[in-house]
């Protein structure tokens, strides 16, 4: 296919330039990833995990790439602040796929915490990065992961050492900025050692009205008794395409809390793979999607219960308006010997118009006999009786519709444990339902 050929030709022509502007630890797996990409090609809709999103179409346009790592002229502090009132954070910026060292926060994180450029850390600590990089993200299993691995030159490295507790939330602002249509390949590596604890808020924003294509691969290692909270919020625009793959491995008695919130987008495809590899591990995976116009949001999850006495909870909710499309496919795999597994998977969806479409496929695959597992999904429209009841009491049809949508989606928002972020999202969700662009405090990019 032409979409695959352009990336194959690009790698042949620019391999040396890509390597020269990256790190040896990242370059070491590049050729293997390229071979895996060549062998697989972009997945078609016949591939089970991609049946609801045409990946080949997303990658077919000709995007520019900043292979030579030219400096992008932007001062995020002056141009943009994603402010969550009353939430004190350590703030970091990634412009396209480059970590901005000059914009590190003045306040210091606790000793034993590293937040820095992945490429820079790989150059200084190659053995550490080699032990973790591209290990969970299997390029032989996924063509998008392979493409990202063969092209990514930098990203974010987070390392929290044994028993270190990070009280302040680490906020990472991903800003897309370009004067031409641009492809960005971002990489994130998170390593939480035994007993470590931290919370991260990733915010995705597009600063220019250009077509952006972002591939993102996040690998997170959660050690024994460690705790990782990962909040990912997308507020881009209709011309943005985002394909994000998150890979997580949990050890004994660890805790992982993942919340993905899509408020504004064009086409979004999120993959989440969680390995429960140590007894007593727990994970909570929540998703909140609000889409209208022709927006498309596809969440695909795999919760892999590899050992006994592990717990997983999933709740994804969509509100779809206009001609938007949503998809959720969630697979819970309980392997042989994974006794005493507890798993709950719920997907609930609201189609506010007759032209909105939702595809849902919750799945259980169980090979153990002493488990408590459940799954379910619903797709419906606004309750006519509730609308009639509210209108009889003087509430306009538009306001009644908004109140019902807001109440429906709030179950997911209320699960966010950071109270200031939860309050902020209540505000942003209401603004979103009212059709208003939700400016953050100090934002100069939303017109």
């Amino acid at each position: 296919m032409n979409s695959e050929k352009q990336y194959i030709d690009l790698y042949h022509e620019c391999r040396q330039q890509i390597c020269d502007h990256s790190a040896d630890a990242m370059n070491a797996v590049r050729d293997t990833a390229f071979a895996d990409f060549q062998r697989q090609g972009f997945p078609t809709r016949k591939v089970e995990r991609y049946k609801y999103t045409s990946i080949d179409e997303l990658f077919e346009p000709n995007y520019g790439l900043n292979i030579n790592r030219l400096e992008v002229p932007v001062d995020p502090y002056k141009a943009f602040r994603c402010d969550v009132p009353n939430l004190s954070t350590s703030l970091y910026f990634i412009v396209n796929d480059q970590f901005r060292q000059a914009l590190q926060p003045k306040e210091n994180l606790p000793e034993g915490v590293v937040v820095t450029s992945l490429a820079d850390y790989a150059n200084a600590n190659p053995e550490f990065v080699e032990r973790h990089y591209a290990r969970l993200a299997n390029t032989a299993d996924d063509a998008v992961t392979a493409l990202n691995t063969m092209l990514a030159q930098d990203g974010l490295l987070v390392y929290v050492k044994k028993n270190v507790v990070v009280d302040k939330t680490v906020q990472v602002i991903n800003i897309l900025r370009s004067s031409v249509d641009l492809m960005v390949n971002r990489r994130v590596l998170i390593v939480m050692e035994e007993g470590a604890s931290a919370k991260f808020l990733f915010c995705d924003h597009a600063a220019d009205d250009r077509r952006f294509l972002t591939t993102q691969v996040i690998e997170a290692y959660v050690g024994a008794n460690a705790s990782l909270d990962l909040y990912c919020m997308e507020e881009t625009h209709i011309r943005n395409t985002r394909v994000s793959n998150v890979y997580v491995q949990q050890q004994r008695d660890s805790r992982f809390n993942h919340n993905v919130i899509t408020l504004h987008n064009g086409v979004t495809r999120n993959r989440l793979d969680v390995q429960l590899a140590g007894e007593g591990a727990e994970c909570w995976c929540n998703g909140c999607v609000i889409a209208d116009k022709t927006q498309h949001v596809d969440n695909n999850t795999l919760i892999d219960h590899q050992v006994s006495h592990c717990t997983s909870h999933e709740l994804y909710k969509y509100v779809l308006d206009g001609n938007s499309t949503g998809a959720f496919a969630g697979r819970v795999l309980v392997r042989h010997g994974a006794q005493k597994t507890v798993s709950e998977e719920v997907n609930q969806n609201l189609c506010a118009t007759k032209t909105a479409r939702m595809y849902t496929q919750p799945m259980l695959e169980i090979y153990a006999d002493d488990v408590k597992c459940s799954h379910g999904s619903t797709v419906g429209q606004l309750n006519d009786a509730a609308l009639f009841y509210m209108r009889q009491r003087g509430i306009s049809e538009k306001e009644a519709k908004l109140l019902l949508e807001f109440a429906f989606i709030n179950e997911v928002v209320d699960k966010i444990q950071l109270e200031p972020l939860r309050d902020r999202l209540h505000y942003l969700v209401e603004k979103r339902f009212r059709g208003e662009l939700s400016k953050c405090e100090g934002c100069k990019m939303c017109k």
Side-chain angles (χ1 to χ4, degrees):
M1 297 182 184
N2 291 333
S3 54
E4 294 157 358
K5 186 178 184 302
Q6 67 175 322
Y7 296 105
I8 293 171
D9 292 344
L10 171 71
Y11 189 77
H12 281 306
E13 295 170 9
C14 301
R15 179 189 178 279
Q16 193 58 51
Q17 291 170 270
I18 293 170
C19 293
D20 288 345
H21 293 88
S22 189
D24 289 344
M26 299 177 71
N27 295 336
V29 295
R30 223 176 275 283
D31 287 344
T32 299
F34 174 66
D36 288 335
F37 176 75
Q38 269 191 308
R39 174 180 53 80
Q40 296 175 83
F42 285 119
T44 67
R45 288 178 180 265
K46 294 181 180 179
V47 177
E48 181 66 26
R49 296 199 71 170
Y50 286 93
K51 65 191 299 183
Y52 301 118
T53 302
S54 179
I55 293 296
D56 184 67
E57 291 180 10
L58 301 183
F59 286 83
E60 188 172 6
N62 185 18
Y63 291 90
L65 285 93
N66 187 10
I67 291 174
N68 290 319
R69 320 309 289 161
L70 301 177
E71 186 80 5
V72 178
V74 58
D75 182 350
Y77 281 116
K78 291 183 178 179
F80 186 87
R81 274 182 286 148
C82 183
D83 184 45
V84 180
N86 303 318
L87 178 64
S88 177
T89 65
S90 295
L91 188 61
Y92 296 86
F93 290 96
I94 296 178
V95 180
N96 296 330
D97 57 357
Q98 291 180 278
F99 182 86
R100 285 297 180 92
Q101 290 282 8
L103 299 174
Q104 291 191 43
K106 295 180 180 179
E107 66 271 16
N108 294 322
L109 290 168
E111 185 177 350
V113 181
V114 179
V115 180
T116 189
S117 159
L118 175 58
D120 287 352
Y121 197 83
N123 282 325
N125 304 273
E127 293 183 359
F128 176 87
V129 173
E130 287 172 359
R131 285 199 307 272
H132 299 95
Y133 183 75
R135 302 300 179 185
L136 292 179
N138 184 2
T139 59
D141 176 62
D142 185 85
V144 175
T145 297
L147 179 68
N148 176 280
T149 305
M150 79 190 210
L151 295 179
Q153 294 172 282
D154 193 14
L156 178 71
L157 182 285
V158 177
Y159 177 29
V160 185
K161 295 183 179 180
K162 184 177 179 179
N163 294 327
V164 174
V165 176
V166 185
D167 293 324
K168 183 175 289 189
T169 301
V170 176
Q171 185 175 13
V172 180
I173 308 295
N174 296 316
I175 296 180
L176 296 171
R177 182 143 228 188
S178 176
S179 59
V180 298
D181 295 348
L182 185 70
M183 179 182 185
V184 171
N185 299 288
R186 187 187 306 127
R187 199 73 181 220
V188 178
L189 176 60
I190 301 173
V191 179
M192 308 281 295
E193 288 190 344
E194 180 180 351
S197 177
K199 300 178 179 65
F200 298 91
L201 171 59
F202 287 79
C203 302
D204 282 18
H205 302 278
D208 293 300
D209 188 23
R210 310 298 307 190
R211 287 192 310 172
F212 291 101
L213 170 62
T214 302
T215 73
Q216 175 177 266
V217 173
I218 299 177
E219 295 176 281
Y221 295 83
V222 189
N225 293 296
S227 176
L228 171 62
D229 285 20
L230 186 59
Y231 300 93
C232 300
M233 185 165 65
E234 182 180 6
E235 287 188 283
T236 55
H237 56 57
I238 195 68
R239 304 182 71 187
N240 187 69
T241 298
R242 174 181 177 224
V243 183
S244 175
N245 293 349
V246 178
Y247 300 89
V248 182
Q249 185 183 77
Q250 294 185 241
Q251 300 302 328
R252 173 182 52 83
D253 296 323
S254 62
R255 174 186 170 278
F256 174 59
N257 179 25
H258 182 256
N259 293 264
V260 57
I261 302 114
T262 306
L263 294 180
H264 294 275
N265 76 308
V267 177
T268 297
R269 205 275 178 174
N270 297 317
R271 169 175 173 163
L272 172 65
D273 287 17
V274 180
Q275 299 177 17
L276 298 168
E279 290 191 1
E282 296 179 296
C283 72
W284 289 262
C285 305
N286 303 308
C288 167
V289 175
I290 301 173
D292 57 10
K293 304 181 181 71
T294 58
Q295 296 167 349
H296 176 92
V297 184
D298 178 357
N299 283 293
N300 190 292
T301 69
L302 169 62
I303 310 298
D304 186 356
H305 287 261
Q306 298 180 348
V307 296
S308 61
H309 295 90
C310 292
T311 303
S312 66
H313 303 275
E314 281 187 274
L315 175 62
Y316 280 75
K317 283 196 168 189
Y318 291 62
V319 175
L320 305 175
D321 210 331
N323 295 307
S324 61
T325 305
F328 172 81
R331 179 183 171 211
V332 176
L333 172 61
V334 182
R335 295 182 182 269
H336 290 285
Q339 306 294 353
K340 304 297 182 181
T341 289
V342 177
S343 178
E344 179 185 28
E345 181 184 36
V346 177
N347 172 227
Q348 296 176 332
N349 311 284
L350 183 62
C351 292
T353 63
K354 293 182 179 180
T355 52
R357 293 290 180 267
M358 181 69 202
Y359 303 92
T360 178
Q361 188 180 18
M363 295 169 279
L364 287 177
E365 190 173 342
I366 302 174
Y367 299 99
D369 54 12
D370 187 6
V371 301
K372 293 181 180 179
C373 298
S374 65
H375 71 304
S377 68
T378 60
V379 180
Q381 294 183 319
L382 292 171
N383 189 306
D384 289 336
L387 281 173
F388 178 77
Y389 177 87
M390 296 170 76
R391 294 195 66 190
Q392 287 292 96
R393 278 146 185 81
I395 300 174
S396 69
E397 182 177 0
K398 181 179 179 180
E399 191 71 14
K401 176 183 174 183
L402 183 148
L403 290 172
L404 289 176
E405 292 174 337
F406 191 60
F408 177 81
I409 211 73
N410 267 355
E411 184 181 358
V412 177
V413 177
D414 286 340
K415 290 185 178 295
I416 291 175
Q417 296 181 10
L418 293 175
E419 184 177 353
L421 177 60
R422 184 170 64 244
D423 293 342
R424 181 64 174 170
L425 280 173
H426 282 308
Y427 170 76
L428 293 178
V429 166
E430 181 180 354
K431 297 275 282 186
R432 180 71 174 90
F433 282 138
R434 292 186 185 279
E436 303 174 28
L437 281 176
S438 50
K439 290 187 182 181
C440 296
E441 186 70 28
C443 175
K444 298 179 181 179
M445 294 184 179
C446 298
K447 302 294 185 182

